[in-house]
Amino acid sequence: MRHLIDLLDGAVSASYEEAGIDYRPRYTPVMRALEGGQPHTVSQIAVAAGITQPAATQTVALMIKEGLLDAAPGERDARQKVIRLSARGQQLLPQLRLCWQATRAAADSLDGDLPYPLSEALAAAITALQNQPFGERIRSARTAITSNKEAS
């Protein structure tokens, strides 16, 4: 799995470099959550992007540091940050959309070369892991292995 991720992520990173964009693929879910122009809290970004709250917090912090996002105190609660695309982030959107479109076409091409679409297999795996997390599966397997050894 790690090798597959490295192959895909490395190629996507290279495509941004080839397009002359200093941008990390991990920023895409956040950019897509904010591309409509509406500001969001980090929690709203996490939900919209389908990532965990800690991942959203980390990614947003990196993106603020790189000047892609702006943060301001919330109107109702100044302790809560409201995140929006910065001017630089907005300027990058047209180039990013072209990259995203090319990446989607490449993913469709990969799906066409496989006996079954990778996108469908990944969606099914995510659903299965939401139903029974991998850590739970490991604990069950360990229990079964330990029980079998004790029974022997």
Side-chain angles (χ1 to χ4, degrees):
M1 184 60 101
R2 177 84 49 216
H3 183 60
L4 176 62
I5 290 168
D6 289 344
L7 289 172
L8 297 173
D9 214 33
V12 173
S13 290
S15 75
Y16 290 123
E17 286 178 32
E18 290 167 9
I21 303 170
D22 183 20
Y23 181 82
R24 299 181 193 187
R26 77 178 279 182
Y27 296 165
T28 298
V30 174
M31 291 294 282
R32 298 209 68 149
L34 294 170
E35 74 176 313
Q38 292 295 327
H40 287 52
T41 63
V42 173
S43 297
Q44 291 169 326
I45 290 169
V47 169
I51 58 178
T52 65
Q53 175 89 20
T57 300
Q58 270 188 339
T59 303
V60 164
L62 286 170
M63 293 175 75
I64 289 170
K65 191 183 247 185
E66 291 191 23
L68 295 171
L69 303 178
D70 289 328
E75 288 181 21
R76 294 184 198 145
D77 184 352
R79 296 171 296 176
Q80 193 170 47
K81 287 183 185 177
V82 177
I83 311 298
R84 64 176 35 94
L85 292 178
S86 67
R88 180 170 176 254
Q90 290 173 359
Q91 288 172 341
L92 274 180
L93 272 178
Q95 288 176 277
L96 290 174
R97 286 182 179 127
L98 287 173
C99 289
W100 297 338
Q101 187 177 6
T103 301
R104 177 75 253 160
D108 291 345
S109 169
L110 177 60
D111 278 353
D113 287 346
L114 300 174
Y116 48 87
L118 179 61
S119 55
E120 289 178 19
L122 292 174
I126 289 167
T127 298
L129 290 170
Q130 287 170 336
N131 292 333
Q132 183 182 13
F134 202 59
E136 189 178 305
R137 292 168 189 267
I138 292 170
R139 285 186 291 281
S140 295
R142 185 181 305 121
T143 300
I145 292 167
T146 303
S147 296
N148 286 341
K149 281 188 177 184
E150 291 172 1
S152 300

